[in-house]
Amino acid sequence: MPASTRGQRRDQRTFVKINALLALGWAAADLSQAAGISNADLKNGLGHLSEAEAMATPSLILVTGANAPKPVRVIKRLRSAPINSRGTLSTYCGFDKLAAAAALGFRISIPARPGPPLRPFSPGARTATGVVTLSNSLNCAVAIDPLTISDSLLTQLGIAKSSALSELDRGRLVRGARSKPGRVQIALENGVIAQLPFSTAKEADAAELGKIVSRERVEYPNAMPL
């Protein structure tokens, strides 16, 4: 960590839109303290939203800690910065703010990371991608063993095959976020004891099949889903 940023508190929960449906949040320092950077630059030029602003945005689902997708990262050299302060500013940028960011002198440093890879339920596949839905309409990609789980069990647990996803479903899809689905422990027909995820709307069905090990964790239940 450079001396110019050492000791700065990362106490600003900030969000940017990954797409029209999904926003990623992280803990950031007060970037408006950087030389030549204003709150207006951050909000209008980069699309930064406070936690309250993000939660109040209709149809926007909020996550933190997601491995995929991730927004584009941009960087700007702060030519007017004093020698003892940060000389560059690197941060996330909203998907719909790239032109505005470029007009402020930011350039892309790390391209946006697309949504999680989707492995089909193909014959002989050891792992496939299933999708479960949380109560705030967030879709979570989960690894499924297609050799041990029947189609009827997938239906009972609300696990969708990736091939069935619409463009809308893909826009709400994440992997590795801190929001997570519930899990149920089930004795499968082959004698294997498995802990499987389930869509929140299917919790009652999951409870009839086995023991609920954990219920969903939703970071922002009050975010307004589509």
Side-chain angles (χ1 to χ4, degrees):
M1 178 181 293
S4 59
T5 59
R6 191 176 301 134
Q8 292 186 359
R9 295 182 60 187
R10 297 191 175 190
D11 56 359
Q12 309 286 318
R13 180 57 62 90
T14 305
F15 287 83
V16 296
K17 293 180 181 179
I18 300 173
N19 55 45
L21 303 173
L22 193 63
L24 177 73
W26 73 99
D30 185 358
L31 301 181
S32 67
Q33 299 302 308
I37 300 296
S38 67
N39 275 318
D41 293 334
L42 298 171
K43 291 184 178 296
N44 302 325
L46 300 178
H48 284 198
L49 300 168
S50 69
E51 186 175 56
E53 290 169 336
M55 290 182 67
T57 302
S59 303
L60 191 63
I61 302 171
L62 312 183
V63 296
T64 68
N67 294 326
K70 281 194 172 182
V72 65
R73 198 168 184 92
V74 296
I75 190 169
K76 179 181 180 177
R77 184 176 179 184
L78 306 177
R79 300 184 184 277
S80 62
I83 191 66
N84 62 341
S85 64
R86 67 164 76 221
T88 60
L89 177 61
S90 174
T91 187
Y92 289 120
C93 178
F95 82 103
D96 53 351
K97 294 294 184 178
L98 293 177
L104 290 174
F106 286 89
R107 60 178 177 82
I108 294 175
S109 59
I110 302 177
R113 182 180 297 174
L118 303 178
R119 297 185 178 184
F121 282 70
S122 56
R126 292 182 178 274
T127 304
T129 302
V131 177
V132 293
T133 304
L134 307 189
S135 61
N136 65 343
S137 299
L138 179 68
N139 288 329
C140 297
V142 292
I144 296 296
D145 182 352
L147 300 179
T148 60
I149 301 177
S150 65
D151 283 351
S152 61
L153 184 55
L154 291 176
T155 300
Q156 287 174 289
L157 295 177
I159 303 174
K161 295 182 178 181
S162 56
S163 58
L165 297 182
S166 66
E167 285 302 311
L168 180 65
D169 293 329
R170 291 172 188 265
R172 302 181 303 195
L173 180 66
V174 300
R175 182 189 65 197
R178 291 189 177 92
S179 291
K180 298 183 182 299
R183 303 188 75 86
V184 59
Q185 183 170 294
I186 298 176
L188 303 178
E189 293 180 357
N190 55 15
V192 173
I193 304 298
Q195 288 191 10
L196 301 173
F198 57 87
S199 288
T200 304
K202 292 289 188 175
E203 182 172 331
D205 295 318
E208 291 183 359
L209 293 168
K211 178 184 177 182
I212 300 294
V213 177
S214 62
R215 290 180 168 79
E216 70 165 12
R217 179 193 177 191
V218 174
E219 300 171 272
Y220 292 94
N222 295 326
M224 303 176 187
L226 187 67

